[in-house]
Short mmCIF file of all heavy atoms in Angstrom, two decimals:
data_model
loop_
_atom_site.label_atom_id
_atom_site.label_comp_id
_atom_site.label_asym_id
_atom_site.label_seq_id
_atom_site.Cartn_x
_atom_site.Cartn_y
_atom_site.Cartn_z
N LYS C 408 191.78 146.00 -15.48
CA LYS C 408 192.83 145.19 -16.10
C LYS C 408 192.70 143.68 -15.83
O LYS C 408 193.21 142.88 -16.63
CB LYS C 408 194.21 145.67 -15.64
CG LYS C 408 194.51 147.11 -16.03
CD LYS C 408 194.42 147.31 -17.53
CE LYS C 408 194.72 148.75 -17.92
NZ LYS C 408 194.55 148.97 -19.40
N PHE C 409 192.03 143.31 -14.74
CA PHE C 409 192.01 141.88 -14.39
C PHE C 409 190.62 141.29 -14.21
O PHE C 409 190.49 140.08 -14.03
CB PHE C 409 192.83 141.67 -13.11
CG PHE C 409 194.27 142.01 -13.29
CD1 PHE C 409 194.78 143.21 -12.79
CD2 PHE C 409 195.14 141.17 -13.97
CE1 PHE C 409 196.11 143.55 -12.97
CE2 PHE C 409 196.47 141.50 -14.16
CZ PHE C 409 196.96 142.70 -13.66
N GLN C 410 189.57 142.13 -14.30
CA GLN C 410 188.22 141.59 -14.23
C GLN C 410 187.42 141.83 -15.50
O GLN C 410 186.33 141.30 -15.64
CB GLN C 410 187.48 142.18 -13.02
CG GLN C 410 188.01 141.69 -11.68
CD GLN C 410 187.05 141.94 -10.54
OE1 GLN C 410 186.20 142.82 -10.60
NE2 GLN C 410 187.17 141.14 -9.49
N SER C 411 187.96 142.61 -16.40
CA SER C 411 187.28 142.88 -17.67
C SER C 411 187.62 141.80 -18.69
O SER C 411 188.78 141.39 -18.84
CB SER C 411 187.71 144.25 -18.22
OG SER C 411 187.23 144.42 -19.53
N ASN C 412 186.60 141.33 -19.41
CA ASN C 412 186.81 140.29 -20.42
C ASN C 412 187.59 140.79 -21.63
O ASN C 412 188.11 139.99 -22.41
CB ASN C 412 185.46 139.74 -20.88
CG ASN C 412 184.74 138.97 -19.79
OD1 ASN C 412 185.38 138.34 -18.95
ND2 ASN C 412 183.41 139.03 -19.79
N THR C 413 187.66 142.10 -21.80
CA THR C 413 188.35 142.67 -22.96
C THR C 413 189.79 143.05 -22.68
O THR C 413 190.48 143.55 -23.55
CB THR C 413 187.59 143.92 -23.47
OG1 THR C 413 187.56 144.90 -22.42
CG2 THR C 413 186.17 143.56 -23.88
N SER C 414 190.25 142.82 -21.45
CA SER C 414 191.61 143.23 -21.08
C SER C 414 192.65 142.24 -21.58
O SER C 414 192.59 141.04 -21.27
CB SER C 414 191.72 143.35 -19.56
OG SER C 414 193.06 143.60 -19.18
N ALA C 415 193.61 142.75 -22.36
CA ALA C 415 194.71 141.91 -22.83
C ALA C 415 195.71 141.61 -21.73
O ALA C 415 196.47 140.64 -21.82
CB ALA C 415 195.40 142.59 -24.01
N MET C 416 195.72 142.44 -20.69
CA MET C 416 196.68 142.28 -19.61
C MET C 416 196.43 141.00 -18.81
O MET C 416 197.34 140.46 -18.19
CB MET C 416 196.65 143.51 -18.69
CG MET C 416 197.79 143.56 -17.70
SD MET C 416 197.82 145.09 -16.71
CE MET C 416 198.40 146.27 -17.93
N ARG C 417 195.21 140.51 -18.85
CA ARG C 417 194.92 139.28 -18.08
C ARG C 417 195.74 138.10 -18.59
O ARG C 417 196.25 137.30 -17.81
CB ARG C 417 193.43 138.95 -18.19
CG ARG C 417 192.53 139.95 -17.51
CD ARG C 417 191.19 139.36 -17.13
NE ARG C 417 190.52 138.66 -18.23
CZ ARG C 417 189.33 138.09 -18.11
NH1 ARG C 417 188.69 138.14 -16.95
NH2 ARG C 417 188.77 137.48 -19.13
N ARG C 418 195.87 137.97 -19.91
CA ARG C 418 196.58 136.82 -20.48
C ARG C 418 198.09 136.95 -20.37
O ARG C 418 198.80 135.95 -20.46
CB ARG C 418 196.19 136.62 -21.95
CG ARG C 418 194.81 136.02 -22.13
CD ARG C 418 194.59 135.60 -23.57
NE ARG C 418 195.59 134.64 -24.02
CZ ARG C 418 195.54 133.34 -23.77
NH1 ARG C 418 194.54 132.83 -23.07
NH2 ARG C 418 196.48 132.53 -24.23
N THR C 419 198.57 138.15 -20.17
CA THR C 419 200.02 138.34 -20.05
C THR C 419 200.42 138.45 -18.58
O THR C 419 200.92 137.49 -17.99
CB THR C 419 200.45 139.59 -20.83
OG1 THR C 419 199.67 140.73 -20.40
CG2 THR C 419 200.23 139.40 -22.32
N LEU C 420 200.14 139.59 -18.00
CA LEU C 420 200.54 139.83 -16.62
C LEU C 420 199.73 138.97 -15.65
O LEU C 420 200.26 138.51 -14.63
CB LEU C 420 200.37 141.31 -16.28
CG LEU C 420 200.89 141.76 -14.92
CD1 LEU C 420 202.35 141.41 -14.75
CD2 LEU C 420 200.67 143.27 -14.76
N GLY C 421 198.47 138.72 -15.97
CA GLY C 421 197.63 137.93 -15.08
C GLY C 421 198.18 136.53 -14.86
O GLY C 421 198.21 136.03 -13.73
N ARG C 422 198.64 135.91 -15.92
CA ARG C 422 199.19 134.55 -15.80
C ARG C 422 200.48 134.56 -14.96
O ARG C 422 200.73 133.64 -14.19
CB ARG C 422 199.46 133.99 -17.19
CG ARG C 422 198.18 133.68 -17.96
CD ARG C 422 198.45 132.95 -19.25
NE ARG C 422 199.21 133.74 -20.20
CZ ARG C 422 199.59 133.31 -21.41
NH1 ARG C 422 199.29 132.08 -21.80
NH2 ARG C 422 200.26 134.10 -22.21
N GLN C 423 201.29 135.63 -15.13
CA GLN C 423 202.53 135.72 -14.34
C GLN C 423 202.23 135.86 -12.85
O GLN C 423 202.89 135.24 -12.01
CB GLN C 423 203.34 136.93 -14.82
CG GLN C 423 203.84 136.84 -16.24
CD GLN C 423 204.55 138.12 -16.66
OE1 GLN C 423 205.21 138.78 -15.85
NE2 GLN C 423 204.43 138.49 -17.93
N ILE C 424 201.24 136.68 -12.53
CA ILE C 424 200.89 136.90 -11.13
C ILE C 424 200.39 135.61 -10.49
O ILE C 424 200.78 135.25 -9.37
CB ILE C 424 199.83 138.02 -11.02
CG1 ILE C 424 200.45 139.37 -11.41
CG2 ILE C 424 199.27 138.09 -9.59
CD1 ILE C 424 199.45 140.52 -11.44
N ILE C 425 199.52 134.90 -11.19
CA ILE C 425 198.98 133.65 -10.65
C ILE C 425 200.09 132.62 -10.45
O ILE C 425 200.15 131.94 -9.41
CB ILE C 425 197.88 133.10 -11.59
CG1 ILE C 425 196.64 134.01 -11.53
CG2 ILE C 425 197.51 131.66 -11.21
CD1 ILE C 425 195.58 133.66 -12.54
N ALA C 426 200.98 132.50 -11.43
CA ALA C 426 202.06 131.52 -11.34
C ALA C 426 203.00 131.83 -10.17
O ALA C 426 203.53 130.93 -9.52
CB ALA C 426 202.85 131.49 -12.64
N ARG C 429 200.15 132.17 -6.41
CA ARG C 429 199.09 131.26 -6.01
C ARG C 429 199.65 129.87 -5.72
O ARG C 429 200.44 129.33 -6.51
CB ARG C 429 198.00 131.17 -7.07
CG ARG C 429 196.79 130.34 -6.62
CD ARG C 429 195.64 130.47 -7.60
NE ARG C 429 195.25 131.86 -7.78
CZ ARG C 429 194.30 132.26 -8.63
NH1 ARG C 429 193.67 131.36 -9.38
NH2 ARG C 429 194.00 133.53 -8.74
N PRO C 432 197.94 126.53 -8.39
CA PRO C 432 196.93 127.09 -9.31
C PRO C 432 196.42 126.04 -10.29
O PRO C 432 197.14 125.10 -10.63
CB PRO C 432 197.72 128.20 -10.03
CG PRO C 432 199.13 127.72 -10.00
CD PRO C 432 199.29 127.02 -8.68
N SER C 433 195.20 126.21 -10.74
CA SER C 433 194.64 125.28 -11.73
C SER C 433 195.26 125.55 -13.09
O SER C 433 195.78 126.64 -13.36
CB SER C 433 193.13 125.45 -11.81
OG SER C 433 192.80 126.73 -12.34
N ARG C 434 195.18 124.56 -13.95
CA ARG C 434 195.70 124.72 -15.31
C ARG C 434 194.96 125.83 -16.05
O ARG C 434 195.55 126.61 -16.80
CB ARG C 434 195.57 123.40 -16.07
CG ARG C 434 196.07 123.49 -17.51
CD ARG C 434 196.01 122.14 -18.21
NE ARG C 434 196.89 121.16 -17.56
CZ ARG C 434 197.02 119.91 -17.99
NH1 ARG C 434 196.32 119.48 -19.03
NH2 ARG C 434 197.84 119.09 -17.36
N GLU C 435 193.65 125.91 -15.83
CA GLU C 435 192.84 126.93 -16.49
C GLU C 435 193.30 128.34 -16.08
O GLU C 435 193.41 129.24 -16.91
CB GLU C 435 191.37 126.74 -16.14
CG GLU C 435 190.46 127.78 -16.78
CD GLU C 435 189.00 127.61 -16.37
OE1 GLU C 435 188.69 126.61 -15.69
OE2 GLU C 435 188.19 128.49 -16.73
N SER C 436 193.58 128.51 -14.77
CA SER C 436 194.02 129.82 -14.29
C SER C 436 195.37 130.20 -14.88
O SER C 436 195.60 131.35 -15.27
CB SER C 436 194.12 129.81 -12.77
OG SER C 436 192.85 129.67 -12.18
N LEU C 437 196.29 129.24 -14.96
CA LEU C 437 197.61 129.50 -15.53
C LEU C 437 197.55 129.82 -17.01
O LEU C 437 198.36 130.58 -17.53
CB LEU C 437 198.52 128.29 -15.30
CG LEU C 437 198.98 128.06 -13.86
CD1 LEU C 437 199.72 126.73 -13.75
CD2 LEU C 437 199.88 129.20 -13.39
N GLN C 438 196.57 129.26 -17.71
CA GLN C 438 196.45 129.49 -19.14
C GLN C 438 195.73 130.79 -19.47
O GLN C 438 196.08 131.48 -20.43
CB GLN C 438 195.72 128.31 -19.79
CG GLN C 438 196.54 127.02 -19.82
CD GLN C 438 195.77 125.86 -20.42
OE1 GLN C 438 194.52 125.90 -20.52
NE2 GLN C 438 196.49 124.81 -20.80
N SER C 439 194.71 131.13 -18.69
CA SER C 439 193.90 132.31 -19.00
C SER C 439 194.29 133.56 -18.23
O SER C 439 194.17 134.67 -18.74
CB SER C 439 192.42 132.01 -18.74
OG SER C 439 192.19 131.82 -17.35
N GLY C 440 194.76 133.38 -16.98
CA GLY C 440 195.07 134.54 -16.14
C GLY C 440 193.86 135.38 -15.81
O GLY C 440 193.97 136.56 -15.47
N SER C 441 192.67 134.77 -15.88
CA SER C 441 191.42 135.52 -15.80
C SER C 441 190.86 135.67 -14.39
O SER C 441 189.85 136.33 -14.21
CB SER C 441 190.36 134.85 -16.69
OG SER C 441 190.10 133.53 -16.23
N ASP C 442 191.50 135.04 -13.40
CA ASP C 442 190.93 135.11 -12.05
C ASP C 442 191.95 135.58 -11.01
O ASP C 442 192.00 135.06 -9.90
CB ASP C 442 190.33 133.76 -11.65
CG ASP C 442 191.38 132.64 -11.63
OD1 ASP C 442 192.44 132.83 -12.25
OD2 ASP C 442 191.13 131.60 -11.00
N VAL C 443 192.73 136.57 -11.39
CA VAL C 443 193.70 137.14 -10.45
C VAL C 443 192.96 137.75 -9.27
O VAL C 443 192.03 138.56 -9.45
CB VAL C 443 194.57 138.23 -11.13
CG1 VAL C 443 195.46 138.92 -10.11
CG2 VAL C 443 195.40 137.63 -12.23
N LYS C 444 193.34 137.38 -8.07
CA LYS C 444 192.73 137.95 -6.88
C LYS C 444 193.35 139.30 -6.56
O LYS C 444 194.52 139.57 -6.88
CB LYS C 444 192.92 137.00 -5.69
CG LYS C 444 192.25 135.65 -5.87
CD LYS C 444 192.56 134.73 -4.70
CE LYS C 444 191.94 133.35 -4.89
NZ LYS C 444 192.27 132.43 -3.77
N GLU C 447 196.54 139.06 -4.64
CA GLU C 447 197.68 138.64 -5.47
C GLU C 447 198.21 139.83 -6.28
O GLU C 447 199.42 140.00 -6.43
CB GLU C 447 197.25 137.51 -6.41
CG GLU C 447 196.87 136.23 -5.68
CD GLU C 447 196.20 135.21 -6.59
OE1 GLU C 447 195.60 135.61 -7.61
OE2 GLU C 447 196.26 134.01 -6.28
#
Side-chain angles (χ1 to χ4, degrees):
K408 298 303 180 183
F409 297 102
Q410 290 197 336
S411 171
N412 292 328
T413 60
S414 174
M416 191 175 286
R417 293 203 310 181
R418 285 191 58 82
T419 53
L420 187 56
R422 290 188 295 179
Q423 295 176 34
I424 292 175
I425 290 172
R429 187 171 303 177
S433 67
R434 179 176 297 181
E435 180 182 354
S436 294
L437 288 173
Q438 290 178 343
S439 66
S441 61
D442 61 341
V443 174
K444 298 176 182 178
E447 295 169 335

